[in-house]
Amino acid sequence: MHEKRIEIRWRDVDAYLHVNNAVYATYLEECRDEWIAGVLGESGDPWDFVLARVAIDFRRELTQADDAVLVRCSLARIGTSSLTLTEEILTVDGQLSATAEAVVVARDREQGGSRPLTPAERAALERALPAK
């Protein structure tokens, strides 16, 4: 599991004085992108992956007073050309704010569509699967 601490920025807060729902997606993306780059290392290019789906379940609002969040990301499944990730956002003191599931797809830069994972990418990703 990868974890990233992200400061709640003033611009993240909306007129209701809580973190806007769209910002949750940004927090998840920041952690997810860092995770992909770290897992792939020299085995692939993180810019060759795009988000295909994200589903967020909001559990607790965040406010500026929360100061920062901890975002977690872990690999749930490897497909032919995609990865399914489980993600969560927590307050620094551990209160769950949101859970999410994301599907990331390997893309073919020249053709513009999806492509199968390379053997090197698959090997790197398999090392990141949680032990069962």
Side-chain angles (χ1 to χ4, degrees), residues 6 26 43 53 58 69 75 94 96 99 106 115 127:
I6 301 172
T26 300
S43 302
R53 175 182 179 275
F58 299 94
V69 292
L75 183 59
L96 184 63
T99 59
R115 62 160 175 84
R127 288 190 295 273

Side-chain angles (χ1 to χ4, degrees), residues 24-83:
Y24 283 64
T26 300
Y27 294 161
L28 295 169
E29 178 183 43
E30 287 183 39
C31 185
R32 183 184 320 116
D33 287 352
E34 190 174 279
W35 177 86
I36 290 171
V39 166
L40 289 178
E42 300 296 317
S43 302
D45 185 346
W47 290 101
D48 284 345
F49 290 82
V50 295
L51 184 65
R53 175 182 179 275
V54 66
I56 303 171
D57 292 318
F58 299 94
R59 306 289 186 199
R60 173 197 183 276
E61 74 175 1
L62 294 167
T63 67
Q64 189 75 54
D66 288 308
D67 189 49
V69 292
L70 298 176
V71 185
R72 295 180 179 160
C73 175
S74 63
L75 183 59
R77 188 181 79 76
I78 303 171
T80 302
S81 62
S82 66
L83 322 170

Side-chain angles (χ1 to χ4, degrees), residues 85-112:
L85 305 169
T86 56
E87 303 169 332
E88 52 187 19
I89 300 173
L90 300 101
T91 61
V92 175
D93 65 357
Q95 295 178 57
L96 184 63
S97 183
T99 59
E101 181 180 89
V103 177
V104 178
V105 176
R107 71 179 177 111
D108 182 325
R109 289 185 192 199
E110 294 173 15
Q111 301 296 320

